[in-house]
Structure formats: structure tokens, C-alpha cells
Amino acid sequence: MNQIFQEGKRVIPSGVNSPVRAFGSVGGAPVLMAKGKGPYLWDELGKRYIDFCCSWGPLLFGHAPTDLVMHLRRELNRGTSFGTATAKEIKLAQEIALLYPNIRKVRLVSSGTEAVMSAIRLARGFTGRKKILKIDGGYHGHVDSLLIKAGSGLTTFGVPDSAGVPEELAKLTLSVPFNDVEALEKIFKKEGKKIAAFILEPIPANMGVVLPKRGYLEKVRELTKEYGVLLIFDEVITGFRVAPGGAQEHFRVRPDLTCLGKILGGGFPLAAFGGRRDVMDALAPQGNVYQAGTLSGNPIATRAALWMISQIKGKYARKKLDQAQAAVRFHARVENFYLELQSYIYKKALPVQLNSVRSMFTLFFNEQPVTDFVSAKKSNTKRFARFFHACLKRGLYLAPSQFEANFISFAHTDGVLKQAMKAISGALSKAF
Ligand code: PMP
């Protein structure tokens, strides 16, 4: 397997099509995956893994659900792309708007990065302001304006994190620590009227899972409103996962714009951005903010998205009065898993923090609670690397970095979660 990967390095930069896949922070050669079904992945050598990465989030119902595959087979026979308006994409927009009341109008795109990039341009075009505010450690795809060093403390003026991002552009991006109301008030007082949008993941998951403190998101909403700053919730990860209507439903906070991706496409390249009608109407051709895409609303991806939404609605529907929702049972199963994991950590007195919400979690190898980027960065990444490889050996595939979320799907049954727990407890004993 390693030999194939080494060959890959000759034709693909670092052998991967997205950096974290290279195992850079955990070491060793990446496992080349060949097949997925339900909660499992199989590598090129035929070894089976319980998958807690789930393609970085999209696979809420596990790999290759039989019913979805059947739907897609039929769809493929009807053509793969038209480049025209379609009835299906209109249906999908309606379904999204039903689950997300804050999304009055929505455009479909092909990746989370594209959704965010478009939302940022729209916010700038609509407000006539140039600056963008984000949080330290927030990740929103590889959009130039948002690849800003997420250093410690309040960074008033951004510094490019990646070569190739002009400093002039980076200077327009401001960054504040998550969960810090004081820092937010300070930057709004100083720069508020120049900021087009504040973009954040309502539950940051790209520094590992970090939960908002009580009242933080409400304060964010209050301040953005006061200064005429558009509030963009990047729900590419949280959308459809923490609730059908995402974190905005979970916390009852209403953003102006929302970015969706991952679960929406169910493993296909489909994402979306949407929100207030007056803001969305600024898009071309009606408005003067340009945004377009050859494959936007692709019929195969759209069919997959319609299937995902119908499943999500089904799981949250109560069929009979005495029957719990499938989603309630799923979340209870996941909570049980967390409980068992947490009690193992307590029993062994391990310096490990379990941050979780619904079906996403991170185990931080950290002595202290993790509430923002600074505390997340204090994690022991060497220990995580040992833990990661010990899990891999035991047939459990985690996201290969300390600063990522792990995802559990509906296909992860009690039995699978029990096996995963066994692998994790065994791996924890190797990590210390
Ligand atoms: N926003 C968030 C919150 C993400 O986690 C990601 C990807 N992990 C993106 C945007 C970018 O999405 P994509 O990788 O589909 O471009």
C-alpha cells in the first residue's frame, strides 16, 4: 500500500488531493481506502475499519446506503448534467428553506469552499464594506480572505497563513478568539462599521469540537445587528447534524446568511449558501454580485441531496405516539457511547477532554477544558498521534489530526459503538 502511495507522490503533490489526508500531523503512511459500506471502510489490502471520519462529515447515514445507490442508478440513466434550471433543484431549494427558516432564498454550489467564498463576496457587495471578521482557529475552506493565521489572542490585522494570499487582502480579515465577548465588543467598537460580515462556525469543529458558552452566540447576534454586520453561520459541518435545521435551530439564533455542505450532498459535491431575501437578491443576474457554476445544482448531486433530506425528515418524524423518533434513539445510542468513554477517562484519571455535541466529538489530549483555539493548541499532539495509530491498528479509523471532529453515523449500531469503545480504551492505554 505504501508503495502505491509513494508512486502517487510522483504525480500528486504530497500524494494527496487535500492536505490532512497526508497524515502529516500523525506520521506514517496514509491508509489507501478502497471501499465503504455502512459504518465500515476497507483498505486496499482488505482490512476493515470502523469509520469515525465518515468522509469528514457528509455520511450521516454511513457509506453507500442501498436505497440511495438505487435512486442514483435510476438518476444516472437520465443524464449527468444539463447546465439548465431543473425542477429537482427547485424542489431541493424548497426543502432547504423548510428546514432552515432563516434561509429564504438559496443557491446551490459544488463545495463548502465555494459556498463560503460566494457568501463573503455577497456580504461585501450587499453592505459595501470590505472587512470580514472570523474567529481564531475557524476554518471555512481555502478561501483567500479566510486563510488567515489563527494565532493566539486578538489579531487586529490578519497575516496570511498561506503563501499566495496577498497581504493587502489578508489585512481586510480580522480575527477574534471564540467565546470571548469582550474581544468581540472591542473589535466592533473599533471596526464595526467597516465590517461586512462576521463568519463563524456556531460550533467550531476545525480546531476539534468546541462548544459555545451560554449566551455567546446570542451576543454575537446582538452586536452584529447593532453594527449592521451580516452574520454568516458556516454550518458546513453542523448543518443537518446537530439538528435538521443545524446549530441555528439547536441554539435558536438567526443568522443573515448560512453556508451548508457535507451532509447536504451525502457524499457528492454539493453545497449551498442562502439567507435573507434582500441579501440573496443582490446576486446576479438580478443583482450586481456575480456568482456562477457549470455544475451548480448538478442533477446527480441534487438527487442525493433530496434523498438525504427525505431521510433526515423521516428520522425526526414520530411515526406513532408510543414510538420514539429514530433520531432520538440514535442520539441516545451516541450519548451512551460518550458516557462510557467519559467514565473510562475518569476511572483511569487520564488527561483527556471529551468535547461532544450530538454525533460529533473530539478527544483532546489536554489537561484543561478546551473552549477556544488557545486551549485547543495546548493539546499533546504527539500523544494523539500514538493514540491515532493504536486505533488504526485496532481497526478504528479516526480523523487523522488532533484538531478535527470525528463523526458517528446512523449506521453505527450499538454493537459497532461497543467495538469502537474497545478499540479506543485499548488505544488509550498505549498512548500514555
Ligand atoms: N466550512 C467548514 C466549517 C468546513 O469544515 C469546511 C471543510 N472541512 C469547509 C467550509 C469547506 O468545505 P469543502 O471542503 O467542501 O470546500
Side-chain angles (χ1 to χ4, degrees):
M1 209 154 46
N2 194 19
Q3 195 193 334
I4 304 177
F5 183 67
Q6 295 309 326
E7 277 173 34
K9 278 186 172 173
R10 289 217 288 264
V11 281
I12 301 177
S14 308
V16 290
N17 284 313
S18 196
V20 202
R21 297 180 195 172
F23 276 31
S25 63
V26 290
V31 185
L32 306 185
M33 294 302 180
K35 193 174 90 171
K37 188 72 188 166
Y40 300 115
L41 274 171
W42 283 263
D43 69 19
E44 286 286 346
L45 298 176
K47 176 171 170 171
R48 192 181 79 173
Y49 304 81
I50 294 172
D51 185 12
F52 268 2
C53 183
C54 287
S55 187
W56 303 90
L59 309 179
L60 185 61
F61 302 110
H63 290 269
T66 309
D67 190 48
L68 172 61
V69 172
M70 262 165 43
H71 271 78
L72 292 174
R73 279 215 178 105
R74 274 202 299 273
E75 199 60 42
L76 274 165
N77 284 324
R78 296 193 185 113
T80 53
S81 183
F82 309 133
T84 67
T86 64
K88 260 197 300 287
E89 67 186 8
I90 293 167
K91 173 82 180 139
L92 179 55
Q94 288 166 338
E95 293 287 350
I96 293 172
L98 277 174
L99 289 181
Y100 290 76
N102 303 314
I103 298 183
R104 306 303 293 273
K105 287 194 176 184
V106 60
R107 274 255 166 103
L108 303 177
V109 292
S110 303
S111 72
T113 297
E114 208 185 334
V116 168
M117 180 188 76
S118 310
I120 293 287
R121 182 181 309 138
L122 177 59
R124 283 179 163 143
F126 181 80
T127 58
R129 300 174 179 184
K130 288 185 184 163
K131 295 196 176 183
I132 299 291
L133 181 63
K134 69 181 282 289
I135 57 159
D136 297 347
Y139 177 73
H140 307 282
H142 59 108
V143 180
D144 279 354
S145 283
L146 300 172
L147 280 184
I148 299 309
K149 187 173 273 174
S152 62
L154 180 84
T155 33
T156 308
F157 291 112
V159 177
D161 217 7
S162 159
V165 177
E167 211 175 306
E168 292 81 354
L169 190 62
K171 279 196 172 128
L172 296 176
T173 302
L174 313 169
S175 188
V176 284
F178 186 63
N179 270 334
D180 186 340
V181 170
E182 238 172 73
L184 206 56
E185 282 172 336
K186 210 163 132 193
I187 199 136
F188 271 112
K189 211 171 255 172
K190 190 156 173 261
E191 308 267 1
K193 296 283 180 197
K194 295 183 198 150
I195 299 172
F198 181 17
I199 181 163
L200 77 165
E201 306 167 65
I203 304 170
N206 283 289
M207 48 177 120
V209 174
V210 174
L211 292 165
K213 287 184 180 155
R214 189 179 291 248
Y216 176 73
L217 292 173
E218 288 80 356
K219 192 71 193 172
V220 163
R221 179 64 281 190
E222 193 186 307
L223 283 170
T224 44
K225 207 169 245 170
E226 185 184 335
Y227 285 89
V229 173
L230 293 182
L231 176 59
I232 307 176
F233 272 2
D234 180 347
E235 297 229 40
V236 165
I237 284 185
T238 50
F240 308 100
R241 183 170 293 277
V242 298
Q248 54 198 273
E249 177 186 326
H250 191 75
F251 295 115
R252 294 167 203 263
V253 176
R254 307 174 60 115
D256 299 299
L257 292 174
T258 300
C259 298
L260 297 168
K262 299 207 188 241
I263 287 176
L264 178 59
F268 283 81
L270 187 136
F273 69 102
R276 267 167 50 184
R277 187 174 286 133
D278 56 340
V279 181
M280 291 303 285
D281 280 342
L283 286 171
Q286 182 178 341
N288 57 3
V289 178
Y290 197 72
Q291 181 273 332
T294 302
L295 296 178
S296 293
N298 170 271
I300 308 300
T302 300
R303 166 55 65 209
L306 283 168
W307 186 88
M308 289 301 283
I309 288 189
S310 76
Q311 289 297 304
I312 289 162
K313 281 174 31 182
K315 300 290 187 210
Y316 278 85
R318 193 196 286 262
K319 301 231 165 46
K320 289 186 196 142
L321 269 181
D322 60 344
Q323 199 179 338
Q325 295 170 342
V328 170
R329 281 183 272 126
F330 169 55
H331 291 132
R333 181 157 91 230
V334 171
E335 286 303 325
N336 258 341
F337 167 73
Y338 296 149
L339 214 63
E340 208 176 314
L341 183 50
Q342 190 66 72
S343 50
Y344 182 85
I345 292 165
Y346 276 141
K347 211 167 62 202
K348 301 276 174 187
L350 300 174
V352 173
Q353 312 291 326
L354 171 63
N355 279 12
S356 69
V357 53
R358 297 297 200 203
S359 50
M360 55 197 250
F361 74 95
T362 301
L363 268 185
F364 288 101
F365 287 78
N366 200 314
E367 315 262 344
Q368 300 295 327
V370 174
T371 57
D372 57 14
F373 195 40
V374 172
S375 46
K377 292 266 269 192
K378 287 187 182 143
S379 303
N380 187 330
T381 51
K382 284 207 177 86
R383 213 167 252 168
F384 173 82
R386 279 204 297 277
F387 168 69
F388 171 83
H389 280 289
C391 284
L392 205 59
K393 205 170 147 197
R394 288 164 175 74
L396 176 64
Y397 189 77
L398 301 172
S401 160
Q402 170 69 99
F403 306 110
E404 298 288 352
N406 292 289
F407 299 104
I408 301 174
S409 83
F410 276 79
H412 291 74
T413 58
D414 267 330
V416 172
L417 290 178
K418 229 175 224 128
Q419 274 177 294
M421 183 58 218
K422 206 168 140 202
I424 289 178
S425 51
L428 278 172
S429 68
K430 292 281 171 201
F432 290 92

